[in-house]
Amino acid sequence: MAKTVPVGVSARHIHLTAEHVAILFGAGYELTEMKPLSQPGQYAANETVAVIGPKGTFQKVRILGPVRPATQLEISRTDAFSIGVKPPVRESGDIKGSAGVTIQGPAGEVTIEEGVIVAARHIHFHTSDAENWGIVDKQKLRVRVGGERGVIFENVVARVSPNFALDMHIDTDEANAAGVENGQQAEIID
Amino acid sequence: MAKTVPVGVSARHIHLTAEHVAILFGAGYELTEMKPLSQPGQYAANETVAVIGPKGTFQKVRILGPVRPATQLEISRTDAFSIGVKPPVRESGDIKGSAGVTIQGPAGEVTIEEGVIVAARHIHFHTSDAENWGIVDKQKLRVRVGGERGVIFENVVARVSPNFALDMHIDTDEANAAGVENGQQAEIID
């Protein structure tokens, strides 16, 4: 049985701590939900921030909520060249020694020394999907996207949790290289 | 024996007709060479043009010389979204019905109705390399680039000529998706 997963394309976005929300938007400010994301409880906020690197600025970077224990900016390698930062390819949450950037909101600004990463391509599996397919957390998979720009992605990280919904996350460079649209199906090869 | 080829990353660039050089830079103007490219006789020119789409502009797009029979702008899919055009994925020279754009030079401007493409990934083979490896012109190959963002590219077009030097050309989206640097080696799988 083919192991097919829907592909979700992640544009550049940022996760903020409650402390940074307070600095950027004012004490007591709470993020407001624009739309829910594929992972339960996660949402795109109405709020955006500016992100300033040594060579350029992105004016409206979408905030994803809810707030997290660490601020994390996820950008593509194309984005990274564009604003002059050198983020490593990392799994979400693994930000030690990653790149820094300045973040600007309507009420203030924050400079982070680390937290800028290029997200490692990954698949969210609900525990039941992973069990059905014999896939374990942290496993590295090969996943094929067909079409005229067909690509097999190696080193796709499996992330398994009862809180996850089945979804493969790649960034805009990966989506554009493979000619993928949001919601297209990919196939786990091994 | 492994079939390895060096990877050359193509940033956005433009090829111009002699007629368009005259309009953009003035009658009688000749492009001047900044540096030679991997393919014999081809060069990056000192001259650049602005490229204007419905949603944005690229100010300094490098001209590659010498002049050609048709003007052709090659951009990444990321670039295409950025300036609001919808180029198809095509082999160089196959521009019928492709996207249009406005091109601005110091002496004038030109609007082309077609000529904007996303270049199909391809490998230039000298005839002797192709014969050694049993590869024929127009063959579709699968090519692997290793590393933490390892990728296998499908539908890589073989282009064989006694005027070519061995080189695989991918665009910046493909290079960034695979974490490839210029000059890195890729391997033809089949």
Side-chain angles (χ1 to χ4, degrees):
Chain A
M1 188 188 59
K3 301 169 188 169
T4 57
V5 295
V7 178
V9 182
S10 299
R12 71 180 80 103
H13 63 271
I14 193 165
H15 305 278
L16 295 173
T17 62
E19 182 199 352
H20 287 165
V21 169
I23 296 170
L24 296 165
F25 292 90
Y29 190 91
E30 301 220 354
L31 297 175
T32 59
E33 177 169 335
M34 182 177 71
K35 64 173 184 184
L37 301 177
S38 66
Q39 298 309 309
Q42 304 293 304
Y43 60 87
N46 290 298
E47 292 79 6
T48 61
V49 289
V51 164
I52 304 160
K55 289 189 179 172
T57 297
F58 293 123
Q59 286 297 344
K60 291 192 172 187
V61 176
R62 184 69 50 193
I63 300 171
L64 302 191
V67 295
R68 289 199 178 180
T71 287
Q72 177 173 297
L73 173 67
E74 299 178 40
I75 60 177
S76 70
R77 197 159 170 252
T78 295
D79 288 341
F81 286 122
S82 162
I83 63 169
V85 295
K86 294 190 172 178
V89 176
R90 292 282 181 84
E91 289 180 53
S92 185
D94 177 17
I95 60 168
K96 195 169 158 55
S98 59
V101 81
T102 294
I103 306 161
Q104 230 168 32
E109 82 175 37
V110 174
T111 295
I112 55 172
E113 298 303 319
E114 60 185 24
V116 184
I117 64 170
V118 173
R121 50 181 82 123
H122 58 277
I123 299 177
H124 294 270
F125 294 91
H126 187 273
T127 312
S128 61
D129 298 317
E131 283 174 358
N132 282 342
W133 289 341
I135 287 165
V136 297
D137 193 44
K138 303 284 180 193
Q139 189 175 339
K140 299 284 183 72
L141 304 166
R142 293 201 307 161
V143 181
R144 178 173 185 269
V145 177
E148 72 177 340
R149 295 199 118 186
V151 157
I152 295 170
F153 291 112
E154 302 181 345
N155 297 329
V156 180
V157 181
R159 296 176 55 191
V160 179
S161 160
N163 300 322
F164 287 160
L166 186 64
D167 208 16
M168 176 172 179
H169 288 174
I170 59 177
D171 71 13
T172 48
D173 284 341
E174 293 167 326
N176 288 333
V180 182
E181 304 291 340
N182 237 331
Q184 197 174 320
Q185 298 290 316
E187 183 179 354
I188 300 170
I189 297 178
D190 49 31
Chain B
M1 187 187 58
K3 301 167 188 170
T4 58
V5 296
V7 178
V9 182
S10 299
R12 73 181 77 104
H13 64 271
I14 194 165
H15 304 278
L16 295 173
T17 62
E19 181 198 353
H20 287 165
V21 170
I23 296 170
L24 296 165
F25 291 91
Y29 191 90
E30 301 220 353
L31 297 175
T32 59
E33 177 170 334
M34 183 176 71
K35 63 171 186 186
L37 300 177
S38 66
Q39 297 310 310
Q42 305 293 305
Y43 60 87
N46 289 298
E47 293 80 6
T48 62
V49 290
V51 164
I52 303 160
K55 290 189 179 171
T57 297
F58 293 123
Q59 286 298 344
K60 293 194 170 185
V61 177
R62 184 67 52 193
I63 301 171
L64 302 192
V67 294
R68 289 198 179 181
T71 287
Q72 176 174 297
L73 172 67
E74 299 178 41
I75 59 178
S76 72
R77 198 159 170 251
T78 296
D79 289 341
F81 287 122
S82 163
I83 64 169
V85 294
K86 293 189 173 179
V89 176
R90 293 281 182 84
E91 289 180 53
S92 185
D94 176 17
I95 60 168
K96 195 168 158 56
S98 60
V101 81
T102 294
I103 307 162
Q104 230 168 32
E109 83 175 35
V110 173
T111 295
I112 55 173
E113 297 303 319
E114 60 184 25
V116 184
I117 64 170
V118 173
R121 51 181 82 123
H122 58 276
I123 299 177
H124 293 271
F125 292 92
H126 187 273
T127 313
S128 62
D129 298 317
E131 283 174 0
N132 282 342
W133 288 341
I135 288 166
V136 298
D137 194 43
K138 304 284 181 193
Q139 189 175 340
K140 300 284 182 72
L141 304 167
R142 293 200 307 159
V143 181
R144 178 173 185 270
V145 176
E148 74 177 339
R149 296 198 118 187
V151 157
I152 295 170
F153 291 111
E154 302 180 345
N155 297 330
V156 180
V157 181
R159 297 176 55 192
V160 180
S161 160
N163 300 321
F164 287 160
L166 186 65
D167 208 15
M168 175 173 181
H169 288 174
I170 59 177
D171 71 13
T172 48
D173 285 340
E174 293 167 324
N176 288 333
V180 181
E181 305 291 341
N182 235 332
Q184 198 174 319
Q185 298 291 316
E187 183 179 354
I188 300 170
I189 297 178
D190 51 29

